[in-house]
Amino acid sequence: MSLILYFHPLASYCHKVLIPLYENGTVFTPEIVDLMDAESSAELFAIWPVGKFPVIKDTDRNLVVPETSIIIEYLDQFHAGPIRFIPEDPNEARNVRLWDRFFDLYVSTPMQKIVGDRLRAQDTTDDYGVIEARVNLDGAYDMLESQLAGKQWAAGDAFSMADCSAAPALFYAECVHPFTPKYPIMAAYFDRLMSRPSVKRVLEEAKPYFQYFPFNEAIPARFL
Ligand SMILES: N[C@@H](CCC(=O)N[C@@H](CS)C(=O)NCC(=O)O)C(=O)O
């Protein structure tokens, strides 16, 4: 088995890569990283000194592949399965990459800001930064309500890398900054995403760790 995935079952960016792995039934060795454990953490920093995960190691090719979008492209090119996550057509591919970037930068980033702030000591919280993150999420939700109109998936009719990015971003964003009834199209898309077997499996495996999510009280009952 040549692929080793360094990840944590609760981490949203790890969900982004587990989804395509499960979609295609790609065989890999899971290696859980515990950042609270010095040895486990050192192992991650040794292969990717940025210290962020997930990271994939392909032992057959003696290659370390970090960064979720790069990992998904790598899987698509070198461990391809029936589902392709980046279309062949360059225009469609660019559109998928755009919406992948959108979910990472404009949904995940503000979502993580809000989550991270709850983990800070009381005298170091960043109230203004959290307000800004909520404004940014409102803007992203508004844009998604238009983008998703008439579409099955984020970038069109086919499930793609953009949806792998969207599922964890929206799952955790919905907890920290709930969708309002103003967003029926986005809510319907969210339900389609959450019904996808790969996404269900990822969330099922995250369940034992939900207690460590700082907004665990906001996780909707249907996921518990
Ligand atoms: N741009 C990176 C972001 C990865 C990321 O932020 N991962 C989080 C887990 S969801 C992480 O490593 N957190 C630990 C830390 O920042 O120390 C990617 O797409 O892979």
Side-chain angles (χ1 to χ4, degrees):
M1 205 183 303
S2 78
L3 294 178
I4 304 172
L5 177 71
Y6 296 84
F7 80 115
H8 191 282
L10 184 63
S12 59
Y13 277 104
C14 299
H15 293 186
K16 180 177 160 185
V17 164
L18 285 167
I19 292 165
L21 286 166
Y22 290 162
E23 283 284 336
N24 275 335
T26 309
V27 176
F28 67 97
T29 304
E31 183 77 44
I32 293 187
V33 176
D34 177 1
L35 289 176
M36 307 302 275
D37 176 84
E39 204 179 315
S40 175
S41 184
E43 205 180 336
L44 172 69
F45 276 82
I47 58 165
W48 181 233
V50 169
K52 299 231 181 243
F53 53 11
V55 174
I56 268 193
K57 196 196 262 183
D58 190 334
T59 53
D60 279 353
R61 307 179 81 234
N62 195 22
L63 196 65
V64 169
V65 187
E67 288 293 320
T68 50
S69 304
I70 309 297
I71 295 172
I72 295 173
E73 292 229 27
Y74 180 75
L75 293 172
D76 217 41
Q77 288 163 349
F78 295 98
H79 294 268
I83 299 193
R84 302 305 299 265
F85 297 96
I86 295 128
E88 294 289 337
D89 177 83
N91 284 309
E92 288 177 20
R94 191 186 61 250
N95 194 40
V96 163
R97 290 191 182 94
L98 169 64
W99 290 99
D100 168 67
R101 296 295 71 234
F102 182 88
F103 285 107
D104 278 13
L105 296 171
Y106 308 117
V107 180
S108 275
T109 299
M111 174 276 286
Q112 286 190 328
K113 170 71 189 172
I114 297 167
V115 173
D117 200 73
R118 199 173 258 202
L119 291 167
R120 289 185 177 192
Q122 214 166 13
D123 56 346
T124 63
T125 55
D126 173 15
D127 294 352
Y128 181 75
V130 167
I131 290 168
E132 215 173 25
R134 292 190 183 282
V135 170
N136 291 341
L137 278 177
D138 284 333
Y141 292 174
D142 284 344
M143 281 182 71
L144 285 171
E145 192 65 9
S146 312
Q147 165 64 16
L148 296 167
K151 291 192 188 65
Q152 182 74 1
W153 300 110
D157 289 336
F159 189 85
S160 74
M161 174 165 72
D163 303 294
C164 300
S165 185
L170 291 176
F171 175 79
Y172 286 114
E174 214 276 325
C175 296
V176 306
H177 193 71
F179 311 154
T180 63
K182 216 177 126 185
Y183 303 111
I185 296 172
M186 185 174 68
Y189 168 68
F190 181 67
D191 286 345
R192 280 196 295 284
L193 276 177
M194 295 300 117
S195 307
R196 195 97 185 166
S198 60
V199 175
K200 281 180 144 167
R201 179 172 170 191
V202 164
L203 291 176
E204 194 58 36
E205 290 171 355
K207 223 187 256 184
Y209 302 91
F210 277 166
Q211 58 185 305
Y212 304 113
F213 177 53
F215 283 78
N216 60 8
E217 80 290 348
I219 297 176
R222 65 172 159 145
F223 299 114
L224 300 175

